[in-house]
Amino acid sequence: MVAICGLANAKTIKSGDEPLTENYVISTYVAAITQGTIKDFNRILDADVTFSSTSKSGVTPLDKDDVIANVKANEGVKQECTVSSTKVKETGDGTVYQIDMKYSDHIRTDMVTIVEGSNGWKVTDVNSSFK
């Protein structure tokens, strides 16, 4: 009887409440951008995430809501590109990844910063450039 009461009072972790791992966050980001997989995309983004795009004309900040809307609008659309991911820099609580997407006529490079917080890892900054 004591065991049953103890189990009934135990905190259950709801799906989606578990801390995010570094690998899960970067894999989810890549899947969203290159394969149109939107599951958990919003969840992996920090509340204060910043997005920007760098081109010859300078750096353009991108609105988080617009980026999320764009990913949702492209749900299920698989990009015709080859993807490579490289861990570029690692600090005590953060990591920078370089994601290269090679298309037939250009290369998109995303520098993605993820930071570990109280509920696991989150994307905090993304800078996209095109060659």
Side-chain angles (χ1 to χ4, degrees):
M1 183 72 153
V2 173
I4 293 172
C5 292
L7 289 175
N9 290 325
K11 180 181 176 188
T12 57
I13 297 177
K14 298 176 186 175
S15 177
D17 287 346
E18 61 279 349
L20 300 170
T21 66
E22 179 179 354
N23 186 54
Y24 183 78
V25 168
I26 204 66
S27 297
T28 299
Y29 177 83
V30 170
I33 301 302
T34 64
Q35 300 172 13
T37 305
I38 64 168
K39 181 182 182 289
D40 285 342
F41 182 68
N42 192 39
R43 185 171 172 237
I44 67 165
L45 302 177
D46 186 70
D48 298 320
V49 64
T50 58
F51 293 92
S52 60
S53 179
T54 302
S55 65
K56 291 179 183 177
S57 59
V59 177
T60 304
L62 304 169
D63 183 75
K64 175 184 175 181
D65 292 335
D66 290 338
V67 171
I68 291 169
N70 185 49
V71 169
K72 287 181 179 178
N74 289 300
E75 181 178 6
V77 176
K78 293 186 180 184
Q79 301 292 313
E80 292 185 29
C81 64
T82 303
V83 180
S84 64
S85 173
T86 306
K87 189 182 286 192
V88 176
K89 182 178 179 182
E90 199 168 0
T91 62
D93 63 349
T95 305
V96 178
Y97 282 88
Q98 179 173 324
I99 313 296
D100 289 315
M101 293 154 271
K102 296 179 183 177
Y103 296 85
S104 62
D105 60 347
H106 71 282
I107 298 173
R108 172 182 171 171
T109 299
D110 284 3
M111 299 303 290
V112 181
T113 302
I114 62 173
V115 174
E116 186 174 25
S118 61
N119 195 28
W121 293 83
K122 297 275 187 166
V123 174
T124 59
D125 183 70
V126 178
N127 181 277
S128 301
S129 62
F130 302 86
K131 298 176 194 169

